[in-house]
Amino acid sequence: MPTALVTGCNRGLGYEFVRQLAGDGWRVHACCRQPEKARKLKSLDPGDGEVVRHRLDVTDGLQLAGLGRELADEPLDLLINNAGIFGPRGGFGKIAYEDWLQVFNVNTLAPMRVAETFARHLERADSPRLLNISSKLGSIDANETSGAHLYRSSKAALNMVTKCLSIDLDGRGVIVAAVHPGHVATDMGGRNAAVAPEDSVAGVLAMAQRLSAADNGGFYGYDGTPLPW
């Protein structure tokens, strides 16, 4: 049974990753800050797979280290850094500077912490993948509207972290990619967004299986289309 670890699983994309992976026969380590309050996750029918819930605040180094030790002997075929926050939406002249560091802590530093914690688990698998859920809003080349400075900058930085990780982990056989899931109808994206969570996640998982060594360190849409940095 292949094994995955997904962060930010209490709702939205994270929950959908768990649902689809478990339904396809995966063992999924589903991580969120308060698993006892994650009603959908608790009641999820894993189908042919297995769901193991874990309490994890991705910004808490001690919790991460503890989970790493708990899963010490377990290979990971897939690691999805999904946990993220948007932060205040104010633009130029209305920047919430006091919140900027927290957005970076969750969206940029935490994926790096998670990757460092579970690199040894990934390298034990045959064809491991590490996906960082980024955003097209983090593309410098595609930015024509400004706004959302906190979120944009944190995802642009995550893209650089992804590229660095692709080099760091290349010798361990891990393929690393940043993925834009689309404008998804979640609490963050809004219910009128164009892409359903089911379609986004299905696309991301299909793309993950297609990734080869030549794709290592790239930035892709959920349909596998390369995106500009």
Side-chain angles (χ1 to χ4, degrees):
M1 179 181 289
T3 303
L5 186 146
V6 186
T7 65
C9 290
N10 60 315
R11 59 186 179 181
L13 286 175
Y15 169 81
E16 187 61 25
F17 276 120
V18 175
R19 189 186 72 81
Q20 291 195 26
L21 284 166
D24 285 340
W26 287 62
R27 179 177 185 180
V28 187
H29 295 286
C31 305
C32 59
R33 288 181 297 170
Q34 297 178 302
E36 71 281 359
K37 294 183 179 180
R39 290 179 293 178
K40 288 179 65 177
L41 189 61
K42 289 171 66 175
S43 62
L44 176 64
D45 180 356
D48 294 329
E50 179 183 1
V51 175
V52 184
R53 299 187 302 274
H54 300 278
R55 180 184 305 278
L56 179 64
D57 180 339
V58 291
T59 68
D60 188 324
L62 290 177
Q63 281 192 14
L64 266 173
L67 184 56
R69 290 191 296 270
E70 182 180 340
L71 304 179
D73 298 324
E74 188 153 4
L76 283 179
D77 300 277
L78 178 63
L79 172 57
I80 302 178
N81 273 315
N82 169 74
I85 58 175
F86 198 92
R89 296 174 182 264
F92 184 79
K94 298 180 180 179
I95 299 295
Y97 288 98
E98 64 277 10
D99 296 307
W100 208 332
L101 288 176
Q102 178 62 9
V103 174
F104 258 79
N105 199 17
V106 175
N107 292 356
T108 311
L109 276 66
M112 186 69 183
R113 286 179 183 269
V114 172
E116 288 187 316
T117 300
F118 294 104
R120 64 185 186 275
H121 303 74
L122 287 163
E123 68 181 342
R124 293 195 185 104
D126 291 333
S127 300
R129 306 285 191 269
L130 192 166
L131 302 182
N132 289 327
I133 302 302
S134 186
S135 172
K136 193 174 179 180
L137 289 177
S139 169
I140 294 173
D141 191 58
N143 183 6
E144 298 178 350
T145 60
S146 189
H149 294 59
L150 283 64
Y151 185 75
R152 286 181 184 273
S153 59
S154 72
K155 292 299 187 179
L158 176 61
N159 287 350
M160 178 56 80
V161 165
T162 301
K163 180 62 177 180
C164 289
L165 283 171
S166 73
I167 299 169
D168 297 332
L169 301 179
D170 183 55
R172 305 188 189 195
V174 182
I175 295 177
V176 184
V179 184
H180 168 57
H183 185 194
V184 186
T186 61
D187 289 346
M188 182 185 293
R191 295 302 173 185
N192 295 322
V195 183
E198 297 84 354
D199 296 334
S200 173
V201 167
V204 172
L205 293 178
M207 182 208 65
Q209 295 303 312
R210 296 194 302 267
L211 290 174
S212 68
D215 305 311
N216 194 28
F219 180 27
Y220 305 98
Y222 71 96
D223 60 355
T225 302
L227 296 177
W229 294 111

